[in-house]
Amino acid sequence: MVLKYIKEPSQRQLKIGSEIRIAISEVFSRNELSHPFFEKYMFTVSEVRVSPDISLATAFLIMPDELDHKKLLKFFNEISKTIRKQIASKVNLKFMPEIRFAADESVKNAARINELLKDIKK
């Protein structure tokens, strides 16, 4: 049996993650990146997890199903420096963490679990 010790995020990490999530959402919703992609599609930042040393923030995105998620994540990670510059003025931090983007699979996982539970009831 392998034991994993995962330390819970500190209050500081949670607060910074929340502030970064709000700032990224504002950048997307106000189309501050002036990219036609953001006018056509809606993206939701569901969560931002910050590393213990506050050097890295991972933003989890809920994306439209009709789009290729791998290509989208590559695009978001390529423009992450631009997004970082945009949100630096909105978040009051001495050092802005590097931002990475990942797909949030929780909605798909929840739907799959619901389907499995319905099958069990039958």
Side-chain angles (χ1 to χ4, degrees):
M1 184 172 148
V2 177
L3 294 176
K4 289 186 178 182
Y5 296 96
I6 300 174
K7 190 174 180 183
E8 291 291 320
S10 67
Q11 289 297 317
R12 182 173 184 234
Q13 287 172 276
L14 294 173
K15 183 177 179 188
I16 291 171
S18 176
E19 288 182 22
I20 292 173
R21 182 185 61 78
I22 291 168
I24 293 173
S25 296
E26 286 178 6
V27 168
F28 289 172
S29 66
R30 294 181 182 164
N31 198 16
E32 293 179 18
L33 297 172
S34 64
H35 194 282
F37 211 61
F38 296 104
E39 293 173 5
K40 189 174 181 181
Y41 297 104
M42 181 87 162
F43 301 96
T44 304
V45 182
S46 61
E47 179 184 7
V48 174
R49 293 183 191 160
V50 180
S51 65
D53 63 351
I54 317 296
S55 65
L56 177 66
T58 303
F60 291 90
L61 298 175
I62 298 174
M63 300 175 275
D65 286 336
E66 67 266 13
L67 299 175
D68 183 7
H69 290 195
K70 287 183 182 180
K71 287 183 181 179
L72 263 177
L73 289 176
K74 184 178 179 184
F75 168 73
F76 277 111
N77 285 313
E78 287 174 357
I79 65 167
S80 66
K81 289 183 181 180
T82 307
I83 294 171
R84 182 180 176 193
K85 288 177 187 175
Q86 290 283 336
I87 67 171
S89 61
K90 300 175 189 309
V91 180
N92 189 16
L93 290 174
K94 189 173 184 179
F95 298 104
M96 189 67 199
E98 178 185 340
I99 298 173
R100 292 190 187 151
F101 291 92
D104 186 351
E105 301 293 333
S106 62
V107 175
K108 287 182 183 178
N109 292 340
R112 172 126 171 86
I113 290 170
N114 280 336
E115 287 178 22
L116 292 171
L117 290 172
K118 285 180 185 176
D119 289 344
I120 290 172
K121 286 182 181 179
K122 290 179 183 179

